[in-house]
Amino acid sequence: MIEKNYITSGRNTVIHKVRKIDLIIVNGSHQTVVVGHRGIEPYNGVVPRKKSEAKKAYQEVIDLGSIEVFGEEKKLLFVQALDNKEYKIDYTKEGTANFIKIHQENYI
């Protein structure tokens, strides 16, 4: 079994586990998001095509639509980041200030 840098919980939650690895979250044709140890933000860089490329850049790509993750695109996603905050990503509000919001200040 391959060790992942994240855990999925329930139907729409991703938990970031490893501080030195950034998670790049891909959700179909929606805006790509990066989760780092200091929080979460939209990602405008190039998404690595191969796992080896991502590993060299200390990144891991999470495709929400893949069978290994959720198996479908999501309209709403919760991310527990390593800055002790849980974020809500609402893909229906993409491009607005409400796209990424702090859902819970301290989830631990």
Side-chain angles (χ1 to χ4, degrees):
M1 186 168 149
I2 298 172
E3 183 67 24
K4 296 181 180 179
N5 297 303
Y6 66 94
I7 301 169
T8 56
S9 176
R11 297 174 60 190
N12 63 348
T13 303
V14 173
I15 303 168
H16 190 191
K17 289 185 353 182
V18 180
R19 184 171 201 80
K20 69 178 188 175
I21 303 293
D22 291 339
L23 304 178
I24 298 175
I25 299 176
V26 177
N27 188 20
S29 62
H30 297 288
Q31 171 73 50
T32 305
V33 175
V34 63
V35 182
H37 68 279
R38 287 189 229 141
I40 185 170
E41 62 187 13
Y43 182 71
N44 296 318
V46 177
V47 177
R49 293 190 179 270
K50 297 180 182 177
K51 285 185 180 185
S52 61
E53 291 174 3
K55 190 174 182 180
K56 286 178 188 175
Y58 296 99
Q59 299 172 331
E60 182 165 349
V61 178
I62 303 172
D63 183 359
L64 299 181
S66 72
I67 298 299
E68 297 86 29
V69 184
F70 294 119
E72 64 184 4
E73 288 184 20
K74 295 291 179 182
K75 298 280 184 210
L76 187 64
L77 179 71
F78 294 96
V79 177
Q80 292 181 1
L82 293 172
D83 62 354
N84 292 331
K85 295 177 184 166
E86 182 178 71
Y87 294 89
K88 177 174 76 170
I89 304 172
D90 189 343
Y91 287 99
T92 63
K93 296 179 181 174
E94 191 173 339
T96 69
N98 293 324
F99 176 49
I100 299 173
K101 288 292 224 180
I102 295 175
H103 180 65
Q104 200 171 344
E105 193 67 37
N106 292 310
Y107 69 89
I108 294 178

PDB file of all heavy atoms in Angstrom, residues 17-42:
ATOM      1  N   LYS A  17      -1.941  15.754   5.886  1.00  0.00           N
ATOM      2  CA  LYS A  17      -1.185  15.060   6.928  1.00  0.00           C
ATOM      3  C   LYS A  17       0.273  15.489   7.058  1.00  0.00           C
ATOM      4  O   LYS A  17       0.793  15.513   8.159  1.00  0.00           O
ATOM      5  CB  LYS A  17      -1.165  13.545   6.660  1.00  0.00           C
ATOM      6  CG  LYS A  17      -2.438  12.846   6.867  1.00  0.00           C
ATOM      7  CD  LYS A  17      -2.385  11.338   6.715  1.00  0.00           C
ATOM      8  CE  LYS A  17      -1.129  10.709   6.218  1.00  0.00           C
ATOM      9  NZ  LYS A  17      -1.202   9.270   6.072  1.00  0.00           N
ATOM     10  N   VAL A  18       0.953  15.773   5.953  1.00  0.00           N
ATOM     11  CA  VAL A  18       2.399  15.953   5.975  1.00  0.00           C
ATOM     12  C   VAL A  18       2.768  17.399   5.696  1.00  0.00           C
ATOM     13  O   VAL A  18       2.436  17.946   4.650  1.00  0.00           O
ATOM     14  CB  VAL A  18       3.080  15.011   4.952  1.00  0.00           C
ATOM     15  CG1 VAL A  18       4.572  15.185   4.964  1.00  0.00           C
ATOM     16  CG2 VAL A  18       2.705  13.565   5.233  1.00  0.00           C
ATOM     17  N   ARG A  19       3.493  18.012   6.615  1.00  0.00           N
ATOM     18  CA  ARG A  19       3.815  19.432   6.572  1.00  0.00           C
ATOM     19  C   ARG A  19       4.620  19.844   5.333  1.00  0.00           C
ATOM     20  O   ARG A  19       4.367  20.888   4.755  1.00  0.00           O
ATOM     21  CB  ARG A  19       4.582  19.810   7.834  1.00  0.00           C
ATOM     22  CG  ARG A  19       4.885  21.267   7.958  1.00  0.00           C
ATOM     23  CD  ARG A  19       5.456  21.574   9.337  1.00  0.00           C
ATOM     24  NE  ARG A  19       5.308  22.955   9.674  1.00  0.00           N
ATOM     25  CZ  ARG A  19       4.218  23.557  10.120  1.00  0.00           C
ATOM     26  NH1 ARG A  19       3.120  22.861  10.297  1.00  0.00           N
ATOM     27  NH2 ARG A  19       4.194  24.831  10.394  1.00  0.00           N
ATOM     28  N   LYS A  20       5.596  19.060   4.925  1.00  0.00           N
ATOM     29  CA  LYS A  20       6.470  19.499   3.837  1.00  0.00           C
ATOM     30  C   LYS A  20       5.927  19.196   2.441  1.00  0.00           C
ATOM     31  O   LYS A  20       6.541  19.555   1.445  1.00  0.00           O
ATOM     32  CB  LYS A  20       7.873  18.920   4.002  1.00  0.00           C
ATOM     33  CG  LYS A  20       7.982  17.433   3.792  1.00  0.00           C
ATOM     34  CD  LYS A  20       9.433  17.007   3.943  1.00  0.00           C
ATOM     35  CE  LYS A  20       9.606  15.561   3.557  1.00  0.00           C
ATOM     36  NZ  LYS A  20      10.999  15.170   3.594  1.00  0.00           N
ATOM     37  N   ILE A  21       4.767  18.578   2.349  1.00  0.00           N
ATOM     38  CA  ILE A  21       4.147  18.275   1.063  1.00  0.00           C
ATOM     39  C   ILE A  21       2.921  19.155   0.862  1.00  0.00           C
ATOM     40  O   ILE A  21       2.058  19.242   1.735  1.00  0.00           O
ATOM     41  CB  ILE A  21       3.718  16.789   0.974  1.00  0.00           C
ATOM     42  CG1 ILE A  21       4.897  15.855   1.203  1.00  0.00           C
ATOM     43  CG2 ILE A  21       3.036  16.490  -0.354  1.00  0.00           C
ATOM     44  CD1 ILE A  21       5.949  15.885   0.121  1.00  0.00           C
ATOM     45  N   ASP A  22       2.852  19.831  -0.291  1.00  0.00           N
ATOM     46  CA  ASP A  22       1.670  20.620  -0.653  1.00  0.00           C
ATOM     47  C   ASP A  22       0.705  19.734  -1.425  1.00  0.00           C
ATOM     48  O   ASP A  22       1.126  18.940  -2.275  1.00  0.00           O
ATOM     49  CB  ASP A  22       2.051  21.821  -1.517  1.00  0.00           C
ATOM     50  CG  ASP A  22       2.841  22.868  -0.757  1.00  0.00           C
ATOM     51  OD1 ASP A  22       2.775  22.882   0.483  1.00  0.00           O
ATOM     52  OD2 ASP A  22       3.519  23.672  -1.417  1.00  0.00           O
ATOM     53  N   LEU A  23      -0.572  19.860  -1.147  1.00  0.00           N
ATOM     54  CA  LEU A  23      -1.600  19.109  -1.873  1.00  0.00           C
ATOM     55  C   LEU A  23      -2.191  20.004  -2.951  1.00  0.00           C
ATOM     56  O   LEU A  23      -2.617  21.114  -2.667  1.00  0.00           O
ATOM     57  CB  LEU A  23      -2.709  18.668  -0.919  1.00  0.00           C
ATOM     58  CG  LEU A  23      -2.306  17.833   0.294  1.00  0.00           C
ATOM     59  CD1 LEU A  23      -3.529  17.533   1.150  1.00  0.00           C
ATOM     60  CD2 LEU A  23      -1.623  16.555  -0.136  1.00  0.00           C
ATOM     61  N   ILE A  24      -2.220  19.520  -4.173  1.00  0.00           N
ATOM     62  CA  ILE A  24      -2.871  20.229  -5.273  1.00  0.00           C
ATOM     63  C   ILE A  24      -4.175  19.502  -5.546  1.00  0.00           C
ATOM     64  O   ILE A  24      -4.171  18.340  -5.937  1.00  0.00           O
ATOM     65  CB  ILE A  24      -1.975  20.263  -6.526  1.00  0.00           C
ATOM     66  CG1 ILE A  24      -0.678  21.010  -6.214  1.00  0.00           C
ATOM     67  CG2 ILE A  24      -2.718  20.905  -7.686  1.00  0.00           C
ATOM     68  CD1 ILE A  24       0.329  20.992  -7.334  1.00  0.00           C
ATOM     69  N   ILE A  25      -5.296  20.187  -5.324  1.00  0.00           N
ATOM     70  CA  ILE A  25      -6.615  19.564  -5.463  1.00  0.00           C
ATOM     71  C   ILE A  25      -7.214  19.943  -6.812  1.00  0.00           C
ATOM     72  O   ILE A  25      -7.414  21.123  -7.103  1.00  0.00           O
ATOM     73  CB  ILE A  25      -7.542  19.985  -4.315  1.00  0.00           C
ATOM     74  CG1 ILE A  25      -6.946  19.539  -2.977  1.00  0.00           C
ATOM     75  CG2 ILE A  25      -8.941  19.393  -4.515  1.00  0.00           C
ATOM     76  CD1 ILE A  25      -7.723  19.981  -1.764  1.00  0.00           C
ATOM     77  N   VAL A  26      -7.506  18.913  -7.617  1.00  0.00           N
ATOM     78  CA  VAL A  26      -8.101  19.076  -8.941  1.00  0.00           C
ATOM     79  C   VAL A  26      -9.533  18.557  -8.871  1.00  0.00           C
ATOM     80  O   VAL A  26      -9.776  17.448  -8.397  1.00  0.00           O
ATOM     81  CB  VAL A  26      -7.290  18.286 -10.001  1.00  0.00           C
ATOM     82  CG1 VAL A  26      -7.928  18.390 -11.357  1.00  0.00           C
ATOM     83  CG2 VAL A  26      -5.849  18.765 -10.033  1.00  0.00           C
ATOM     84  N   ASN A  27     -10.477  19.368  -9.351  1.00  0.00           N
ATOM     85  CA  ASN A  27     -11.894  19.001  -9.327  1.00  0.00           C
ATOM     86  C   ASN A  27     -12.489  19.261 -10.708  1.00  0.00           C
ATOM     87  O   ASN A  27     -13.152  20.268 -10.927  1.00  0.00           O
ATOM     88  CB  ASN A  27     -12.626  19.801  -8.240  1.00  0.00           C
ATOM     89  CG  ASN A  27     -14.047  19.334  -8.027  1.00  0.00           C
ATOM     90  OD1 ASN A  27     -14.410  18.221  -8.378  1.00  0.00           O
ATOM     91  ND2 ASN A  27     -14.856  20.195  -7.445  1.00  0.00           N
ATOM     92  N   GLY A  28     -12.212  18.377 -11.633  1.00  0.00           N
ATOM     93  CA  GLY A  28     -12.725  18.520 -12.996  1.00  0.00           C
ATOM     94  C   GLY A  28     -12.233  19.797 -13.651  1.00  0.00           C
ATOM     95  O   GLY A  28     -11.052  20.107 -13.623  1.00  0.00           O
ATOM     96  N   SER A  29     -13.156  20.578 -14.218  1.00  0.00           N
ATOM     97  CA  SER A  29     -12.793  21.814 -14.912  1.00  0.00           C
ATOM     98  C   SER A  29     -12.781  23.031 -13.984  1.00  0.00           C
ATOM     99  O   SER A  29     -12.554  24.140 -14.434  1.00  0.00           O
ATOM    100  CB  SER A  29     -13.777  22.060 -16.056  1.00  0.00           C
ATOM    101  OG  SER A  29     -15.080  22.235 -15.543  1.00  0.00           O
ATOM    102  N   HIS A  30     -13.005  22.815 -12.690  1.00  0.00           N
ATOM    103  CA  HIS A  30     -13.027  23.910 -11.725  1.00  0.00           C
ATOM    104  C   HIS A  30     -11.617  24.397 -11.402  1.00  0.00           C
ATOM    105  O   HIS A  30     -10.626  23.763 -11.754  1.00  0.00           O
ATOM    106  CB  HIS A  30     -13.717  23.469 -10.427  1.00  0.00           C
ATOM    107  CG  HIS A  30     -15.151  23.114 -10.612  1.00  0.00           C
ATOM    108  ND1 HIS A  30     -16.131  24.051 -10.852  1.00  0.00           N
ATOM    109  CD2 HIS A  30     -15.769  21.915 -10.610  1.00  0.00           C
ATOM    110  CE1 HIS A  30     -17.297  23.449 -10.975  1.00  0.00           C
ATOM    111  NE2 HIS A  30     -17.102  22.147 -10.835  1.00  0.00           N
ATOM    112  N   GLN A  31     -11.543  25.515 -10.695  1.00  0.00           N
ATOM    113  CA  GLN A  31     -10.275  26.106 -10.252  1.00  0.00           C
ATOM    114  C   GLN A  31      -9.488  25.105  -9.409  1.00  0.00           C
ATOM    115  O   GLN A  31     -10.035  24.470  -8.520  1.00  0.00           O
ATOM    116  CB  GLN A  31     -10.556  27.370  -9.432  1.00  0.00           C
ATOM    117  CG  GLN A  31      -9.366  27.955  -8.729  1.00  0.00           C
ATOM    118  CD  GLN A  31      -8.399  28.647  -9.666  1.00  0.00           C
ATOM    119  OE1 GLN A  31      -8.811  29.455 -10.469  1.00  0.00           O
ATOM    120  NE2 GLN A  31      -7.139  28.319  -9.557  1.00  0.00           N
ATOM    121  N   THR A  32      -8.208  24.972  -9.702  1.00  0.00           N
ATOM    122  CA  THR A  32      -7.319  24.121  -8.910  1.00  0.00           C
ATOM    123  C   THR A  32      -6.938  24.874  -7.636  1.00  0.00           C
ATOM    124  O   THR A  32      -6.773  26.081  -7.644  1.00  0.00           O
ATOM    125  CB  THR A  32      -6.066  23.775  -9.730  1.00  0.00           C
ATOM    126  OG1 THR A  32      -6.487  23.180 -10.964  1.00  0.00           O
ATOM    127  CG2 THR A  32      -5.176  22.805  -8.996  1.00  0.00           C
ATOM    128  N   VAL A  33      -6.789  24.130  -6.540  1.00  0.00           N
ATOM    129  CA  VAL A  33      -6.499  24.707  -5.232  1.00  0.00           C
ATOM    130  C   VAL A  33      -5.255  24.029  -4.672  1.00  0.00           C
ATOM    131  O   VAL A  33      -5.044  22.836  -4.879  1.00  0.00           O
ATOM    132  CB  VAL A  33      -7.706  24.485  -4.290  1.00  0.00           C
ATOM    133  CG1 VAL A  33      -7.410  24.948  -2.888  1.00  0.00           C
ATOM    134  CG2 VAL A  33      -8.942  25.177  -4.830  1.00  0.00           C
ATOM    135  N   VAL A  34      -4.420  24.795  -3.962  1.00  0.00           N
ATOM    136  CA  VAL A  34      -3.243  24.224  -3.307  1.00  0.00           C
ATOM    137  C   VAL A  34      -3.396  24.373  -1.798  1.00  0.00           C
ATOM    138  O   VAL A  34      -3.801  25.420  -1.300  1.00  0.00           O
ATOM    139  CB  VAL A  34      -1.926  24.858  -3.813  1.00  0.00           C
ATOM    140  CG1 VAL A  34      -1.853  26.331  -3.501  1.00  0.00           C
ATOM    141  CG2 VAL A  34      -0.717  24.124  -3.250  1.00  0.00           C
ATOM    142  N   VAL A  35      -3.081  23.281  -1.087  1.00  0.00           N
ATOM    143  CA  VAL A  35      -3.124  23.269   0.367  1.00  0.00           C
ATOM    144  C   VAL A  35      -1.691  23.105   0.856  1.00  0.00           C
ATOM    145  O   VAL A  35      -1.050  22.093   0.580  1.00  0.00           O
ATOM    146  CB  VAL A  35      -3.983  22.103   0.905  1.00  0.00           C
ATOM    147  CG1 VAL A  35      -4.049  22.134   2.418  1.00  0.00           C
ATOM    148  CG2 VAL A  35      -5.368  22.129   0.296  1.00  0.00           C
ATOM    149  N   GLY A  36      -1.196  24.112   1.562  1.00  0.00           N
ATOM    150  CA  GLY A  36       0.148  24.064   2.125  1.00  0.00           C
ATOM    151  C   GLY A  36       0.077  24.090   3.635  1.00  0.00           C
ATOM    152  O   GLY A  36      -1.009  24.098   4.221  1.00  0.00           O
ATOM    153  N   HIS A  37       1.234  24.144   4.282  1.00  0.00           N
ATOM    154  CA  HIS A  37       1.237  24.137   5.748  1.00  0.00           C
ATOM    155  C   HIS A  37       0.773  25.469   6.333  1.00  0.00           C
ATOM    156  O   HIS A  37       0.498  25.560   7.516  1.00  0.00           O
ATOM    157  CB  HIS A  37       2.612  23.753   6.290  1.00  0.00           C
ATOM    158  CG  HIS A  37       3.681  24.771   6.034  1.00  0.00           C
ATOM    159  ND1 HIS A  37       4.332  24.865   4.826  1.00  0.00           N
ATOM    160  CD2 HIS A  37       4.196  25.724   6.825  1.00  0.00           C
ATOM    161  CE1 HIS A  37       5.206  25.844   4.890  1.00  0.00           C
ATOM    162  NE2 HIS A  37       5.147  26.390   6.091  1.00  0.00           N
ATOM    163  N   ARG A  38       0.658  26.510   5.497  1.00  0.00           N
ATOM    164  CA  ARG A  38       0.190  27.817   5.983  1.00  0.00           C
ATOM    165  C   ARG A  38      -1.242  28.138   5.561  1.00  0.00           C
ATOM    166  O   ARG A  38      -1.688  29.259   5.738  1.00  0.00           O
ATOM    167  CB  ARG A  38       1.114  28.916   5.471  1.00  0.00           C
ATOM    168  CG  ARG A  38       2.437  28.909   6.172  1.00  0.00           C
ATOM    169  CD  ARG A  38       3.228  30.132   5.804  1.00  0.00           C
ATOM    170  NE  ARG A  38       4.560  29.687   5.439  1.00  0.00           N
ATOM    171  CZ  ARG A  38       5.274  30.177   4.458  1.00  0.00           C
ATOM    172  NH1 ARG A  38       4.815  31.147   3.731  1.00  0.00           N
ATOM    173  NH2 ARG A  38       6.470  29.700   4.215  1.00  0.00           N
ATOM    174  N   GLY A  39      -1.919  27.209   4.949  1.00  0.00           N
ATOM    175  CA  GLY A  39      -3.299  27.475   4.554  1.00  0.00           C
ATOM    176  C   GLY A  39      -3.611  26.973   3.160  1.00  0.00           C
ATOM    177  O   GLY A  39      -2.974  26.061   2.649  1.00  0.00           O
ATOM    178  N   ILE A  40      -4.571  27.622   2.542  1.00  0.00           N
ATOM    179  CA  ILE A  40      -5.119  27.163   1.275  1.00  0.00           C
ATOM    180  C   ILE A  40      -5.378  28.364   0.374  1.00  0.00           C
ATOM    181  O   ILE A  40      -5.730  29.435   0.866  1.00  0.00           O
ATOM    182  CB  ILE A  40      -6.414  26.356   1.544  1.00  0.00           C
ATOM    183  CG1 ILE A  40      -6.964  25.745   0.283  1.00  0.00           C
ATOM    184  CG2 ILE A  40      -7.436  27.188   2.242  1.00  0.00           C
ATOM    185  CD1 ILE A  40      -8.090  24.767   0.562  1.00  0.00           C
ATOM    186  N   GLU A  41      -5.172  28.179  -0.938  1.00  0.00           N
ATOM    187  CA  GLU A  41      -5.407  29.259  -1.894  1.00  0.00           C
ATOM    188  C   GLU A  41      -5.583  28.694  -3.291  1.00  0.00           C
ATOM    189  O   GLU A  41      -5.192  27.549  -3.551  1.00  0.00           O
ATOM    190  CB  GLU A  41      -4.244  30.259  -1.866  1.00  0.00           C
ATOM    191  CG  GLU A  41      -2.917  29.666  -2.271  1.00  0.00           C
ATOM    192  CD  GLU A  41      -1.754  30.613  -2.071  1.00  0.00           C
ATOM    193  OE1 GLU A  41      -1.911  31.639  -1.395  1.00  0.00           O
ATOM    194  OE2 GLU A  41      -0.679  30.307  -2.614  1.00  0.00           O
ATOM    195  N   PRO A  42      -6.170  29.477  -4.203  1.00  0.00           N
ATOM    196  CA  PRO A  42      -6.262  29.024  -5.599  1.00  0.00           C
ATOM    197  C   PRO A  42      -4.863  28.824  -6.167  1.00  0.00           C
ATOM    198  O   PRO A  42      -3.924  29.542  -5.808  1.00  0.00           O
ATOM    199  CB  PRO A  42      -6.982  30.178  -6.301  1.00  0.00           C
ATOM    200  CG  PRO A  42      -7.736  30.869  -5.223  1.00  0.00           C
ATOM    201  CD  PRO A  42      -6.883  30.732  -3.993  1.00  0.00           C
TER     202      PRO A  42
END
